[in-house]
Amino acid sequence: MIRCPRCNTELPDGVSFCDACGAPVRGQMPPANPVYQPFAGAAPAPVTGGQMTCPVCGTPVLAGEAFCDNCGAALLTDPGATLSHATQPPPFAAPAPAAPPPFAPSAPPPFAPAPQPAAPVPAPVAAPAGTRPRLIVVSSRAELPLPARDDIIVGREDAQSNSYPDVDLNPHGGLEQGVSRRHARISRRNGQWYVEDLNSVNGTLLNQKRIPANSPQPLQPGDHVMLGRLGLTFETV
């Protein structure tokens, strides 16, 4: 008889492992990577001749043996039997928490330029004085603005004959200088100015040349017009 070095259980000669605790009794060490046994209720597979085989290594074993003599695997079929520390399943180990992803700084928002103030709408600028078409009296340099129409009558005002021209030359010596009541017409056609004598008594001169009656003549800025003996200059600027 021999005794188990771990639990001091008496064992028959020739066994390799203790039937009580499974410790090696012949100086044999358990396998380097012991295989965990199934639940104690799993019975070893029987073989012919009344023998049984180890469910781990397949070595034939005697009926009633608690541990395999070859590998020390548990052979008990009693659900209440205690498994050795070599056959205990490892404790449950919770999986390690996943490492947080590396910090990635968010991209800065795209640069948006500050809104520019709306350009102020320029206020309408009044036309400077003297930019309208006009006649200038040569002797006095008096300026006579022309009405904003395409046909303008120039002459002398006379209430008795019901004559009311658009430009009255009475204040500028029209009667004394031989200006007729309806002496001339100044008109504009397609952007071009014209002067026309209206069959006056003393006639009309354009740049020192007499023009025929009722025949419009092109009129340019700076041209000299004489109605009778009254000299005028036509200007547009």
Side-chain angles (χ1 to χ4, degrees):
M1 298 290 289
I2 61 175
R3 290 184 176 275
C4 174
R6 180 186 295 172
C7 63
N8 204 29
T9 302
E10 290 186 357
L11 303 171
D13 292 334
V15 297
S16 300
F17 296 92
C18 176
D19 290 339
C21 67
V25 296
R26 287 185 179 178
Q28 301 181 18
M29 295 302 293
N33 295 315
V35 179
Y36 295 112
Q37 305 302 317
F39 181 70
V47 298
T48 59
Q51 288 186 340
M52 304 172 64
T53 59
C54 174
V56 176
C57 66
T59 303
V61 296
L62 296 175
E65 291 287 341
F67 297 93
C68 176
D69 287 341
N70 182 49
C71 66
L75 304 175
L76 295 177
T77 58
D78 182 7
T82 303
L83 298 177
S84 67
H85 72 281
T87 60
Q88 291 289 345
F92 173 75
F103 172 74
S106 58
F111 173 74
Q116 298 296 327
V121 179
V125 179
T131 58
R132 294 172 54 187
R134 62 197 186 277
L135 295 174
I136 300 175
V137 180
V138 175
S139 59
S140 64
R141 306 303 302 170
E143 296 188 4
L144 309 176
L146 300 181
R149 292 198 296 272
D150 289 338
D151 289 286
I152 303 164
I153 302 300
V154 182
R156 288 188 301 108
E157 183 176 323
D158 183 9
Q160 293 183 354
S161 60
N162 198 27
S163 176
Y164 298 96
D166 298 310
V167 178
D168 181 20
L169 296 178
N170 274 329
H172 307 283
L175 179 60
E176 294 79 9
Q177 300 297 327
V179 177
S180 299
R181 296 177 179 88
R182 289 173 55 89
H183 196 109
R185 175 187 287 117
I186 295 178
S187 59
R188 180 173 57 182
R189 299 290 183 270
N190 299 322
Q192 173 63 54
W193 290 96
Y194 296 88
V195 60
E196 176 185 358
D197 183 80
L198 298 179
N199 201 20
S200 63
V201 175
N202 297 308
T204 301
L205 278 70
L206 175 60
N207 295 327
Q208 309 301 322
K209 294 181 179 180
R210 189 181 185 94
I211 62 176
N214 302 316
S215 178
Q217 303 296 314
L219 187 62
Q220 304 297 333
D223 282 353
H224 181 74
V225 179
M226 182 170 287
L227 304 183
R229 296 182 300 274
L230 181 62
L232 305 168
T233 302
F234 176 73
E235 295 290 351
T236 59
V237 293

